[in-house]
Amino acid sequence: MHNPPKFRLNRVLAALLLSASLGSQAQLIGVLQGTDHLSSFATTAVANIAGIVTAVENNGFWMQDAGDGNALTSDGIYVFRSGSLSKPLVGDGVLVSGQVQEFRPGGSGGANNLTTTQINATAGFAGAWTLSSSGNALPGAKVIGAGFLPPSAIAPNVGNVETAVGYVLQPSQYSMDFYESLEGMRVTLPSAVAVGPTNNFREVPVIASAQIGAPGTIASPRGGVVIGPGQFNGQRIALDDRLMATPTVHSGAQLTGIVGVLDYSFSNFKLNVTQAVTVVSNNLTRESVTIPSGRFAMASYNVENLGGDATAARITTIAGQIKNTLGTPHLIALQEVQDNNGATNNGTVAADVTLSRLATELNAQTGRNYQFVSVNPVDGADGGQPGGNIRQAFLYDTARVTFSGTVGGPLDAISAIAGPGGQVQLNLGAGRIDPTNTAFASSRKPLVAQFTVDGQQIIVVTNHFNSKGGDQPLYGPNQAPTLTTAAQRLQQAQAVASFVQSLLAINPNANIIVAGDLNDFQFADTLAPLAAAGLINMTNSLPEGERYTYNFEGNLQALDHMFVSPNLVARGALAYDIVHANAEFSDQLSDHDPTLLTMALAPVPEPETYALLLAGLGLLGAMVRRRNRVL
């Protein structure tokens, strides 16, 4: 798979020859780019490198030549000419002198970024450009489409791709190598699908239309691509507005006429568009559900840093989404509820204003009487936006759901003993799991509350495990990426699992729901302790193409889950749904889709019926997959 070490030695000798005498071969951009992730000519002075200018920006320009005939080497390169230094025009033929460099975006903090090859043509590096011709036709853009498509596999597991001995690009096998071989070149996608919404940085993740539904790809019926074990959709690339505006679209939008120069920044390959993108269609609609009369419904909803200082419009819209999109569930587990003054960092930790505003608006819209349950954290101890003091909370409809008991303080641990009749008896009506456990350092502590619904006890744990921020990126030099945050999530899951096991040891028929933003995938090892504790992840009851609550850089993925105890499966005739109303939209209210579980709390069935219910769980969870659903 890799060339022997002498390959690199030959490249170094070539670099030395280039320094001494610039021959015709040395003037080809592909020779400078090379056949791996680092140019062996880095730090070498070059002169009279020829190319046609394909794009210009404030700090430099891209140029491309006719190519060296090697599919592994890029025929384009970036020329750095900072600030007010003169620059050519698009279509100019130029000769460039300067120093070849490997530029790593992010500077000293960019160790997890790949580099891009450039010529530093500033005066400090004997840099200059001269005009050789004007008004040239631009080099043809490389077409990404049928017959030439990036692989879905991202990179081989070789450690560091920049230092692996004998590493040679394999563009037909790995998408990271595919895009590296086109670095700096003109590229076009004649037809593409947006696999995520336009984000706050005006980036639009897309894949070629020919790859939607391709073998091995998990396609959402709504137009995106979903991750799976070992499948992280390397065919994605982001359209970037560095040179020209990108369109505002939702996931699933059909696009044509995409042309740009291929670049890399912020741990992703990007196409800096050089002409207006045509939006053929952008008609994705939000899902909504209807809860049948009599069924008990519980939702879980990450409200993305909702503070007491939120605008009236945001409070109204969130309440409207709970009412109309989620069908007005009876119990709502919330995550990312901020304190009364939001991100203002002045020691405030109470969130009664935040939750009162939301409950009051929800009551006004629904005519119900929602109350809330929450435990204030220690100031600055639970992570999230500085000053925000995010925490979990519950809203409950008092006509269907009863809550009573003492609400614990931030350091009061909730625990259970056997009560009358072998039922679970908690020391608190609501409290947090093991709040001094180091597993929850600088992270949200799970909130537990016991409710009575239709005369039955239901114990609910709402969670917000620590984020993936800090993990190495998919498109970084280290392959496979190191997931440094996983260890803490595993410890958090173990703590929750231990609590659940203590409940089931008292009453194996306890009704338990573990819900929330667990910040990891249904197939991740970090969530395995919850399954080992006897819980069932309702995410797995859905078709693969609908297992997502979040869109990260064009990858649809499930971060929010509901785990239920076996007794609820037997008693509840469960139906589960992820309501796709946020993550795919450029005007999203939250960056997470909410989840919804409905049940009919019927008497316990006979054992053989119970087995049939377990076997039919997938069917029950898949009952509803249309825009207007009945749960």
Side-chain angles (χ1 to χ4, degrees):
M1 183 169 69
H2 298 139
N3 283 345
K6 68 179 182 180
F7 178 81
R8 281 187 179 271
L9 179 60
N10 289 340
R11 295 277 305 280
V12 171
L13 289 173
L16 294 174
L17 291 172
L18 176 62
S19 296
S21 175
L22 292 171
S24 60
Q25 183 186 34
Q27 295 181 43
L28 296 176
I29 292 172
V31 174
L32 303 183
Q33 285 279 14
T35 59
D36 57 17
H37 284 278
L38 296 179
S39 171
S40 61
F41 298 109
T43 73
T44 300
V46 296
N48 297 322
I49 305 300
I52 304 296
V53 176
T54 56
V56 181
E57 65 169 4
N58 183 58
N59 281 330
F61 58 92
W62 286 264
M63 67 178 189
Q64 185 172 332
D65 65 18
D68 60 0
N70 187 343
L72 304 186
T73 61
S74 168
D75 303 322
I77 197 166
Y78 183 72
V79 179
F80 178 68
R81 292 278 292 174
S82 62
S84 61
L85 294 177
S86 64
K87 298 169 188 71
L89 302 175
V90 172
D92 283 349
V94 294
L95 298 173
V96 173
S97 300
Q99 185 186 79
V100 178
Q101 297 176 339
E102 287 294 341
F103 172 73
R104 194 178 303 278
S108 60
N112 287 325
N113 285 323
L114 295 169
T115 64
T116 57
T117 307
Q118 68 177 24
I119 300 174
N120 189 328
T122 59
F125 293 90
W129 67 273
T130 57
L131 181 68
S132 58
S133 60
S134 299
N136 296 286
L138 300 186
K142 188 70 175 179
V143 178
I144 295 180
F148 185 71
L149 293 166
S152 61
I154 291 176
N157 293 341
V158 294
N160 189 303
V161 298
E162 296 175 351
T163 59
V165 174
Y167 189 89
V168 177
L169 300 179
Q170 301 174 77
S172 64
Q173 300 296 316
Y174 302 108
S175 59
M176 192 163 79
D177 293 355
F178 178 92
Y179 289 125
E180 176 72 19
S181 71
L182 301 174
E183 178 189 281
M185 291 177 60
R186 295 186 75 231
V187 170
T188 179
L189 284 81
S191 177
V193 176
V195 291
T198 307
N199 67 19
N200 292 335
F201 301 101
R202 302 299 309 169
E203 298 165 342
V204 184
V206 302
I207 67 173
S209 297
Q211 291 186 285
I212 287 287
T217 299
I218 304 171
S220 162
R222 295 167 58 81
V225 286
V226 184
I227 68 166
Q231 171 60 277
F232 290 93
N233 301 310
Q235 63 271 42
R236 296 166 295 115
I237 190 169
L239 309 185
D240 194 277
D241 69 340
R242 184 169 170 179
L243 299 173
M244 176 169 285
T246 49
T248 300
V249 295
H250 307 315
S251 185
Q254 305 289 321
L255 310 174
T256 61
I258 300 170
V259 180
V261 288
L262 202 143
D263 195 30
Y264 176 96
S265 63
F266 295 99
S267 303
N268 278 286
F269 285 98
K270 299 177 181 178
L271 194 62
N272 298 328
V273 296
T274 54
Q275 68 181 45
V277 175
T278 299
V279 178
V280 177
S281 65
N282 183 37
N283 53 14
L284 191 69
T285 57
R286 287 175 164 82
E287 293 181 339
S288 62
V289 298
T290 300
I291 299 168
S293 176
R295 287 181 70 85
F296 170 70
M298 176 188 158
S300 180
Y301 188 1
N302 182 321
V303 290
E304 193 180 4
N305 290 322
L306 179 67
D309 58 348
T311 64
R314 184 155 193 243
I315 295 286
T316 298
T317 309
I318 289 177
Q321 195 165 78
I322 293 172
K323 174 182 180 289
N324 301 312
T325 301
L326 294 176
T328 318
H330 307 98
L331 178 63
I332 306 119
L334 300 172
Q335 301 89 44
E336 287 200 26
V337 174
Q338 289 192 340
D339 61 35
N340 290 337
N341 57 22
T344 301
N345 196 356
N346 64 355
T348 299
V349 294
D352 56 316
V353 172
T354 309
L355 291 165
S356 292
R357 289 184 64 196
L358 180 57
T360 298
E361 178 60 30
L362 186 57
N363 293 339
Q365 291 192 30
T366 63
R368 296 189 183 182
N369 180 25
Y370 283 91
Q371 299 294 322
F372 62 85
V373 180
S374 178
V375 172
N376 294 330
V378 173
D379 185 34
D382 282 19
Q385 189 176 18
N389 288 308
I390 56 174
R391 84 290 309 276
Q392 295 84 263
F394 292 103
L395 293 175
Y396 64 98
D397 175 8
T398 58
R400 187 74 182 271
V401 182
T402 301
F403 170 81
S404 63
T406 302
V407 177
L411 299 179
D412 294 330
I414 195 164
S415 60
I417 60 171
Q423 295 299 300
V424 172
Q425 182 174 315
L426 299 177
N427 64 324
L428 298 166
R432 307 205 295 177
I433 294 175
D434 203 3
T436 60
N437 188 329
T438 56
F440 302 112
S442 299
S443 187
R444 284 68 56 182
K445 286 69 175 170
L447 174 64
V448 182
Q450 56 179 331
F451 300 98
T452 302
V453 180
D454 299 344
Q456 301 181 47
Q457 181 193 54
I458 295 183
I459 299 171
V460 185
V461 187
T462 177
N463 304 271
H464 187 182
F465 288 178
N466 78 304
S467 83
K468 288 178 162 293
D471 288 352
Q472 292 179 345
L474 293 173
Y475 278 106
N478 294 311
Q479 297 296 331
T482 300
L483 308 179
T484 56
T485 67
Q488 187 175 5
R489 277 193 302 284
L490 177 61
Q491 294 168 358
Q492 292 174 340
Q494 289 168 337
V496 174
S498 178
F499 176 76
V500 169
Q501 287 172 322
S502 74
L503 304 181
L504 293 176
I506 295 168
N507 180 10
N509 294 321
N511 299 317
I512 305 167
I513 301 174
V514 173
D517 179 0
L518 303 184
N519 262 320
D520 224 328
F521 319 129
Q522 67 275 12
F523 52 83
D525 292 342
T526 55
L527 302 189
L530 298 175
L535 299 175
I536 300 158
N537 190 351
M538 296 300 294
T539 299
N540 294 323
S541 71
L542 299 174
E544 284 187 306
E546 295 198 18
R547 297 177 189 174
Y548 62 92
T549 66
Y550 192 78
N551 190 304
F552 183 67
E553 296 175 346
N555 259 338
L556 292 170
Q557 52 203 257
L559 299 182
D560 307 78
H561 305 274
M562 281 197 194
F563 285 79
V564 300
S565 57
N567 191 59
L568 275 176
V569 177
R571 297 178 67 100
L574 304 181
Y576 181 70
D577 192 20
I578 297 169
V579 186
H580 300 306
N582 286 325
E584 300 162 304
F585 296 90
S586 57
D587 56 347
Q588 57 191 219
L589 182 57
S590 166
D591 51 353
H592 290 249
D593 285 334
T595 61
L596 185 69
L597 179 71
T598 72
M599 64 188 79
L601 291 173
V604 180
E606 296 298 320
E608 61 270 20
T609 306
Y610 173 62
L612 288 172
L613 281 168
L614 281 175
L617 178 60
L619 176 62
L620 287 168
M623 285 169 57
V624 283
R625 282 185 293 279
R626 292 187 298 273
R627 178 172 178 261
N628 292 307
R629 311 184 190 204
V630 177
L631 288 178

